[in-house]
Amino acid sequence: GFSVSIYDVTSRSISLRWPKFSGASSYRVTATAVNTVDHSLLVHFSDVTLKAPLTSLIPNTVYAIQAEAVDKNGIVLAETQIMQSTAPDIPVIDQAYSKLSNSITVEWRAVPGATSYMLTAQDGDSFIETVVKNSPGTVMGLKPATLYRITIRSINSGGKSQPSPFRKAKTVLSAPVLSVSSPSCDSIAVSWKAVYMAAGISVSLMRSDGLGRMLRENTTNTSLIFTNLDPGTLYTIKAYAWNANGMPGDDFTYNQRTSPNTPVDVKVAFNSGALRVSWMPTEGALTYSVTASSGLLKLKCNTSSASCLVPSLQCSSEYYVSVTAYNDAGSSKPTDAVSLKTIPCAPVNISIEEDEPGHLLVSWSSVSFGHYYVVFVKSDDGLEVYCNTSYTQCHFQSDCGFTYFISVFAYNKAGQSPLGDVFNYTTAPCCPSDFRAVFVSSDTVRVTWAPVRGADLYETRAAARSTVLLCNDTAPACTLSALQCNTPYSITVRSFSEARGSNTSCAPKYLATAPCSPEIKNISKEGLSVISVQWQSNNEEATYVVTARGEAGLWHCTSTGSSCTLTDLPCGSAFSVSVIARSPAGQSLPSYSVPLETAPCCPNDLILTQVTQSVTNISWSAGMGAQSYVTTLESPKGQAKCHTLQNYCLLGCITCDTNYTVSLKAISETGLTSSCTYQGYSSSACCPSGVKLYRLSNNGIRVFWRASDGTINYNADLHGSKGNFTCSPSSGLSHCDITEIPCGDVYAVVVAPVTQKGSKLTFCPKKMYSVTCSGSSVGMVIYRGKSNAEHI
């Protein structure tokens, strides 16, 4: 816990420092020179000593230092050891002098063991230190014309020596700070501020390239001027101050060029509309400035070459041009002004008008400095013409549908004016020629034509009375719809361009529309298959065609009036009747259709079949167009009628043996009726009454009845399980006999009239009789009642 540190080192001393050690009453320090024989130092210090100097040491020597803490009994409580070198010996200044106003240079002999040296320059309470490696050394940052005390110390790794004996040295005067200018091309002016402690100033001037002689001036003033110098030449100026002892101070060097001479051989010309100025190069000139003045307007151009291009000249103006040379010293005098007139301005107020079709007149305002004018007119197909004139207008020929690009130039000796506004003038587009108008329907016409030059749009105009229809399209075709029927129209196709509008000189074509659609006023039936159609006629030149269209086919009639008759229309058919009008202008739209229905057809076949004595069945084939039927059988004795949707009917209350008139009505869905008559019908003869059986001798049977009419022939049939038997009496008789009939059987007896065709009626009633046997012969005949199992 006991340690020693170095507090200070000099050439012959080392100062130590340690903290107080507990229990120590004194400290013992031994310093032994390393590599040096018989040189050691022992020093005792009391317990209150914390800093201890070791003196009388050898400079630039390494010592081994041992420190011990000792108690009051002389016992070493603790010890430590360090190595430390003393500083080099004190150097001796040989001389100190000043060559520059801000420094002093010191020379000395080298000191063994020194690795560097510290120079100190002291001025009153202020000082500046500088460490250098060896002699000589310079202290910088000093004040001019100031006396300093100079000391030096040697330095090694151990520390610094004590300062050497001082030497006094004074810094020289500061250099004058020059302000240099070239007021003219052959002079240079030099000025400066007064230098502290200076007795005078010396200024010299010489060409920097070494040519010529040196000029020198000594003065106590603060300015002077060198004259008769070469223009544009670089000179080197050097100045210094001296003190009262004639000692020169710092010098100041400055390079200054004389201003250039005025340029010569100035030439002015136009180059692509700009002003090109050239001149002979001037000695020493770095840049040139060209000034072109016109009134209050000044244009400048700066360059480092011997020519310059001045743009943005105003046309129709007179400029005065001068050139000035420049370098870092200043400027030359400007050259004498050269006058130049610029090219004329582009003509303005250009107007273009088509004074008459095919002729363009171009006019403009006159231009200052313009000697003559050229007008160029180029059409959009590439053809160009021009006009050269000293007046302010020109005439040109033009064609329809072309765009002309027109530019006007003014000329003088300087050249051509700038391009002004390029005007374009578009002539009216050409009129469509040979256009065609074709009806695509009764109120729609399609107009087509060939495209024409210059047309952006086409306007088709159809005018009739107070009505005007317009159609605008970019295509060379137009469809005009909703035209009024039976009307003459004037149709004009005009071409239109955005630049010029429409050509109003296009000729029209005249076209009449087809007749108006007729209106059917009435349809009437003139006969069974004859229909009369009436309509309202609206065109005296029209021929009207009536068409009846249905599933059965087409029927036509033609008329120039207002009515027409359709004949031979089939029965039971539905038709749609319309009328169209035809004229040289075309065909109208058909009228609104009117439905027409012919009366239903009468059935071709009607069959009557008597079912019973008072009931007859009537059947018939279907009648075209008929929905229901009414059949009627009529006689003086009464009437039988049936209304049915079927094609058959049962009629009751028929009187037998009566002649009837047969009629039928066929009725359509809408109530149209056809009355159909047929051949008369006679009902069958009446069935006989009072039919009885009587037994005859010899196994015979007599059938007896009461006849309704003595002129009718009858037939009697007996049907039994043992056989069937028939008999027919002679005309006028009301009985007949069956001679052989088996007995012991039940017989169904039917007596029915025989028709003229020889057939028997089947609906007469049956009577049941039982024929018994008496031995082998017919016994009793017993009535068993009627049987209607087979008849209704």
Side-chain angles (χ1 to χ4, degrees), residues 349 402 512 613 626:
N349 298 327
F402 276 86
Q613 187 171 281

Side-chain angles (χ1 to χ4, degrees), residues 37-357:
V37 180
D38 297 334
H39 185 81
S40 62
L41 178 67
L42 176 62
V43 184
H44 287 84
F45 300 96
S46 66
D47 62 340
V48 296
T49 303
L50 300 178
K51 294 180 181 180
L54 300 177
T55 60
S56 302
L57 302 180
I58 302 172
N60 193 35
T61 301
V62 178
Y63 284 88
I65 301 171
Q66 181 175 332
E68 297 172 323
V70 182
D71 63 6
K72 60 183 180 178
N73 297 319
I75 299 175
V76 178
L77 301 178
E79 65 179 356
T80 185
Q81 184 174 341
I82 60 174
M83 305 293 289
Q84 177 61 44
S85 173
T86 55
D89 207 351
I90 300 171
V92 177
I93 297 175
D94 291 335
Q95 61 175 339
Y97 52 88
S98 172
K99 290 185 177 182
L100 297 175
S101 61
N102 66 341
S103 67
I104 293 176
T105 300
V106 182
E107 295 180 2
W108 65 93
R109 290 186 299 273
V111 175
T115 57
S116 60
Y117 302 88
M118 178 181 285
L119 301 178
T120 302
Q122 186 172 2
D123 172 27
D125 294 333
S126 65
F127 58 88
I128 295 177
E129 293 180 339
T130 300
V131 176
V132 297
K133 288 292 184 181
N134 46 41
S135 178
T138 301
V139 182
M140 305 295 292
L142 306 182
K143 295 183 290 186
T146 302
L147 184 63
Y148 285 92
R149 291 175 58 161
I150 307 299
T151 59
I152 184 171
R153 292 183 180 190
S154 59
I155 304 173
N156 67 2
S157 60
K160 297 189 289 286
S161 70
Q162 291 88 345
S164 68
F166 68 86
R167 283 283 187 102
K168 289 184 179 181
K170 190 175 186 179
T171 53
V172 298
L173 300 180
S174 60
V177 179
L178 303 181
S179 294
V180 184
S181 64
S182 178
S184 64
C185 64
D186 62 348
S187 65
I188 291 178
V190 184
S191 62
W192 57 89
K193 291 182 180 181
V195 178
Y196 175 67
M197 299 295 291
I201 302 293
S202 178
V203 182
S204 62
L205 178 143
M206 187 175 182
R207 284 178 59 129
S208 297
D209 56 8
L211 300 178
R213 63 186 182 87
M214 178 185 292
L215 302 179
R216 183 186 298 274
E217 293 285 344
N218 293 327
T219 181
T220 58
N221 296 327
T222 57
S223 64
L224 58 85
I225 296 179
F226 294 95
T227 59
N228 298 320
L229 304 180
D230 298 328
T233 302
L234 183 64
Y235 285 89
T236 299
I237 300 102
K238 183 177 291 187
Y240 64 88
W242 70 85
N243 59 16
N245 297 324
M247 179 70 68
D250 290 345
D251 57 16
F252 184 93
T253 301
Y254 191 90
N255 289 326
Q256 174 65 45
R257 190 181 299 274
T258 51
S259 57
N261 211 346
T262 302
V264 295
D265 196 19
V266 177
K267 296 180 181 179
V268 179
F270 277 104
N271 185 359
S272 301
L275 180 64
R276 184 173 186 83
V277 185
S278 61
W279 54 90
M280 288 294 293
T282 300
E283 179 68 29
L286 299 179
T287 61
Y288 300 90
S289 177
V290 178
T291 302
S293 302
S294 177
L296 298 177
L297 177 64
K298 287 188 178 182
L299 300 177
K300 287 186 177 294
C301 171
N302 297 322
T303 181
S304 59
S305 63
S307 65
C308 195
L309 200 65
V310 181
S312 304
L313 293 181
Q314 290 185 345
C315 54
S316 294
S317 299
E318 185 173 9
Y319 283 88
Y320 295 92
V321 182
S322 62
V323 182
T324 304
Y326 289 85
N327 61 14
D328 51 6
S331 63
S332 70
K333 291 181 180 180
T335 61
D336 294 334
V338 178
S339 175
L340 182 72
K341 292 180 181 179
T342 61
I343 59 175
C345 293
V348 295
N349 298 327
I350 298 174
S351 66
I352 306 164
E353 57 182 322
E354 201 169 358
D355 48 359
E356 60 181 79

